[in-house]
Amino acid sequence: MDSKLTKKPSATLTVNNKQLELPVYGGSVGPDVIDIRKLYGDGKLFTFDPGFTSTASCESQITYIDGDEGVLLYRGYPIDQLAEHSTFLEVCYLLANGELPTEAELKKFVQNITYHTMLHAQFDRFFEGFRRDAHPMAVMVGTVGALSAFYHDSTDIDDPKQRVIASHRLIAKMPTLAARAFKYSVGQPFISPRNELDYASNFLRMCFAVPAEDYKVNPVMARAMDVFMILHADHEQNASTSTVRLAGSSGANPFACIASGIACLWGPAHGGANEAALKMLEQIGTVDNIPDFIAKVKDPNSDVRLMGFGHRVYKNYDPRAKAMQKLCHQVLKEVGAEDNPLLKVAIELEKIALHDEYFVKRKLYPNIDFYSGITLRAMGFPTSMFTVLFAVARTVGWIAQWTEMMEDESQKIGRPRQVYTGAPRRDYVPVSRRS
Ligand code: CMC
C-alpha cells in the first residue's frame, strides 16, 4: 500500500520543561493524527490510551466511519447504497481490490470463489472431535485455525499469489464451515456446496437442506442473507480486526490470524451482542415489562446494559442499524410474523430509549445488533449461530485488512507499551523466612 498521508503543521508538546516537535498528518477525510513514534526516543515518554479510544493504529484505505454523523463508507461508497444495489461478492471484490469490478472482473472473481467452496475430505472428521453441544463459535475458532494444517500452499505470507489464494479460500470456505458447525450441532448430515447457486443461496441451502427432501431457496431470504453480509463485511479497526492485524503483525499465517479474529468477535461486547440482544428481548417478553428493564439499565448499582445499543464510534444512529431494521420487517413479512411480540418489544424499547435522558445524554443509539437477532431468528437460525453468521460476513474485512497490512512497508510487529504500577525491584525471600 502506498501511503497517502499528507503532512500538516506539526504539534508542540511541552513536558518536563522540554519542547518536543511532533509531526501531524492528515488522511483524505476524518481527524488528523499526531505522530508519536519518536516520543519515547526523544522524550522518554509513552502515551496512555487503554482501549485505544484516541489512537490510530495504522493507515488504512478500506473503510471510513464518521461516528458523529452516522456515516459508513466501504472504499468511499456509502453502506446504504451498497446494501440497496450491490451483492455480497461484489462488495468482497470492492473491499479486497479497492474498486468496484467490471462485469468480466466480477465473473472471474465469482468463479475463483466458487472454485474453493469445498473442504478437504479429511476435514469432516475434524468436526467429529467436538461434543455435539459445543457452541458453534468454538467449532469455528478451531476449524478455521485448522485450515492452516490443510492448505500449506497458501500460508507463505511473503508470496502475494499465496496471499490472494488464502483470501479466496477463506471467503469461499467460511459458509461451508459455518453450515457444517450448524449441521453438526443439530445432528444432521452435512450438505455439500452447490456452485451454480449464488453465495447466500448456497449458504442457506447448506444450512437448511436435508438429503431426504428437495430444498428450494427462498429468494427473499437469500437477498436478506446477502444484505446481512454486506452490512457486516467490514468496520475498520474494531476489536476483532485489530486482533487479526496484531496476530498478523508477527508473521502468523492468514488462517491462524482469522481464527484469532473469530475468538475476539465471540464476546458479547462485540459480535456476541446480537445473541445477547435477542436474549434480552426474550427476557423482557412484553411491552409492559419495558419500564422496569429501563430502570435496571439506568440504575448505577446494576451492570445491566441495553444490548444492541451504544457504540464506541457511533454517537449517532448506526447507519447499518437502519438497513437492518428494514431487512427485519421484510423477513418477518415473508414468514408472516409481522406481529412478532419480540419485534413489538424492540420497536417500543427503541422509541423509549431514543427519548430517555439517560440514553440521549450518553449518545446511545441502536446499533446493527438491535434488529439482527430478530431477523436471523425469523430466517430459522438458532441464537448460537448469530455470531457465526457475523464471522462469515466479516471474513472479507479481516482478510482485506490483513492483506493491506502485509503490503504496508511501515508495518511492524504490534507491541503496545504499559505504565507499570506493580512492585518495584525486590529480593527473593525463602519460604522459611516469610511470615
Ligand atoms: N446500555 C446502557 N448504558 C450504556 C450502554 C448500553 N448498551 N452502552 C454504554 N452505556 C453507558 C455506560 O454505562 C457509560 O455510562 P457512564 O458514563 O454513566 O458510566 C457510558 O454509556 C459510556 O459507556 P462505555 O462503556 O464507556 O462506552 P464504550 O465505547 O466503551 O462501549 C459498547 C461501547 C458497544 C461496548 C457499549 O455501548 C455496549 O456495551 N453496548 C452493548 C453491547 C453491544 O450492543 N455491542 C455491539 C456493538 S456494535 C457491533 C460490533 O461492532 O461488534
Side-chain angles (χ1 to χ4, degrees):
M1 179 185 73
D2 294 330
S3 174
K4 290 192 177 156
L5 293 176
T6 52
K7 223 171 162 50
K8 298 276 179 97
S10 60
T12 309
L13 175 71
T14 307
V15 62
N16 297 334
N17 295 323
K18 195 175 167 191
Q19 288 209 327
L20 298 169
E21 196 78 358
L22 300 171
V24 175
Y25 299 110
S28 43
V29 267
D32 294 341
V33 293
I34 301 175
D35 181 349
I36 53 154
R37 280 175 286 188
K38 297 218 171 99
L39 191 60
Y40 183 68
D42 294 348
K44 291 284 171 270
L45 285 165
F46 294 142
T47 53
F48 183 49
D49 184 19
F52 307 112
T53 55
S54 302
T55 298
S57 60
C58 60
E59 178 185 347
S60 182
Q61 294 164 7
I62 301 176
T63 293
Y64 174 72
I65 302 175
D66 182 334
D68 294 325
E69 295 299 321
V71 170
L72 169 62
L73 310 175
Y74 291 167
R75 300 284 190 182
Y77 296 100
I79 191 66
D80 50 312
Q81 290 183 22
L82 294 170
E84 189 71 28
H85 305 294
S86 188
T87 61
F88 180 64
L89 281 188
E90 185 178 59
V91 167
C92 288
Y93 183 98
L94 173 70
L95 288 168
N97 298 287
E99 295 297 334
L100 284 168
T102 61
E103 232 174 305
E105 284 166 341
L106 182 60
K107 198 169 162 213
K108 179 95 200 311
F109 182 69
V110 172
Q111 255 170 14
N112 284 340
I113 298 299
T114 45
Y115 179 75
H116 288 293
T117 49
M118 291 202 330
L119 290 168
H120 191 287
Q122 213 169 327
F123 207 95
D124 283 350
R125 288 209 238 138
F126 202 82
F127 288 93
E128 281 156 26
F130 288 96
R131 283 169 54 138
R132 287 273 173 198
D133 61 354
H135 194 291
M137 277 301 272
V139 176
M140 292 303 285
V141 175
T143 54
V144 173
L147 290 174
S148 334
F150 284 80
Y151 300 101
H152 297 138
D153 59 341
S154 50
T155 52
D156 179 357
I157 59 163
D158 297 319
D159 179 347
K161 271 200 193 133
Q162 291 203 24
R163 294 202 294 259
V164 171
I165 296 172
S167 70
H168 289 169
R169 281 190 166 135
L170 277 156
I171 296 167
K173 292 185 200 302
M174 280 296 278
T176 316
L177 288 170
R180 274 161 160 66
F182 175 49
K183 286 296 197 192
Y184 187 73
S185 70
V186 290
Q188 289 182 5
F190 296 154
I191 301 291
S192 294
R194 299 287 324 181
N195 289 346
E196 75 276 15
L197 295 175
D198 64 79
Y199 192 84
S201 301
N202 182 36
F203 178 52
L204 290 179
R205 189 178 168 281
M206 286 191 288
C207 288
F208 298 120
V210 287
E213 285 173 19
D214 284 341
Y215 179 82
K216 219 170 159 341
V217 182
N218 176 333
V220 175
M221 295 301 175
R223 181 61 191 155
M225 189 79 253
D226 208 57
V227 175
F228 171 91
M229 294 204 218
I230 293 173
L231 297 176
H232 287 81
D234 194 45
H235 214 223
E236 51 115 314
Q237 309 314 317
N238 56 85
S240 57
T241 302
S242 299
T243 303
V244 169
R245 279 187 178 255
L246 197 56
S249 76
S250 73
N253 76 69
F255 304 109
C257 295
I258 303 302
S260 73
I262 297 173
C264 177
L265 186 74
W266 197 353
H270 193 6
N274 49 17
E275 188 174 336
L278 190 76
K279 281 186 182 152
M280 173 195 76
L281 294 175
E282 284 172 338
Q283 212 183 338
I284 298 172
T286 62
V287 169
D288 316 342
N289 296 329
I290 294 178
D292 277 356
F293 181 77
I294 293 274
K296 266 190 234 152
V297 171
K298 287 159 62 174
D299 179 353
N301 299 317
S302 107
D303 54 6
V304 176
R305 284 199 167 197
L306 180 50
M307 299 311 285
F309 252 70
H311 199 275
R312 170 62 61 78
V313 181
Y314 294 120
K315 301 301 166 198
N316 201 326
Y317 213 101
D318 177 345
R320 304 167 302 170
K322 282 188 189 145
M324 187 49 77
Q325 189 190 43
K326 196 170 147 198
L327 209 61
C328 183
H329 285 287
Q330 284 166 357
V331 167
L332 290 182
K333 187 166 172 226
E334 183 62 19
V335 299
E338 285 152 297
D339 52 358
N340 179 310
L342 295 187
L343 182 64
K344 280 194 189 141
V345 173
I347 292 172
E348 193 56 28
L349 200 53
E350 178 183 347
K351 228 189 275 168
I352 294 173
L354 287 178
H355 293 100
D356 188 296
E357 205 222 324
Y358 175 94
F359 297 93
V360 174
K361 206 173 105 196
R362 290 170 178 76
K363 297 189 177 164
L364 299 171
Y365 291 86
N367 61 49
I368 188 166
D369 294 317
F370 196 65
Y371 284 101
S372 66
I374 310 175
T375 314
L376 296 174
R377 163 70 63 81
M379 289 174 82
F381 288 103
T383 23
S384 60
M385 278 297 287
F386 293 177
T387 317
V388 173
L389 302 175
F390 191 158
V392 171
R394 183 55 60 83
T395 296
V396 62
W398 289 328
I399 199 67
Q401 299 269 352
W402 175 85
T403 304
E404 184 179 66
M405 182 183 71
M406 299 314 291
E407 292 171 356
D408 182 350
E409 280 176 11
S410 69
Q411 186 265 329
K412 278 175 182 296
I413 184 166
R415 194 354 180 143
R417 309 304 283 255
Q418 63 169 13
V419 48
Y420 178 68
T421 53
R425 187 197 180 284
R426 48 187 169 165
D427 289 326
Y428 178 80
V429 181
V431 69
S432 56
R433 283 204 267 127
R434 280 177 233 153
S435 50

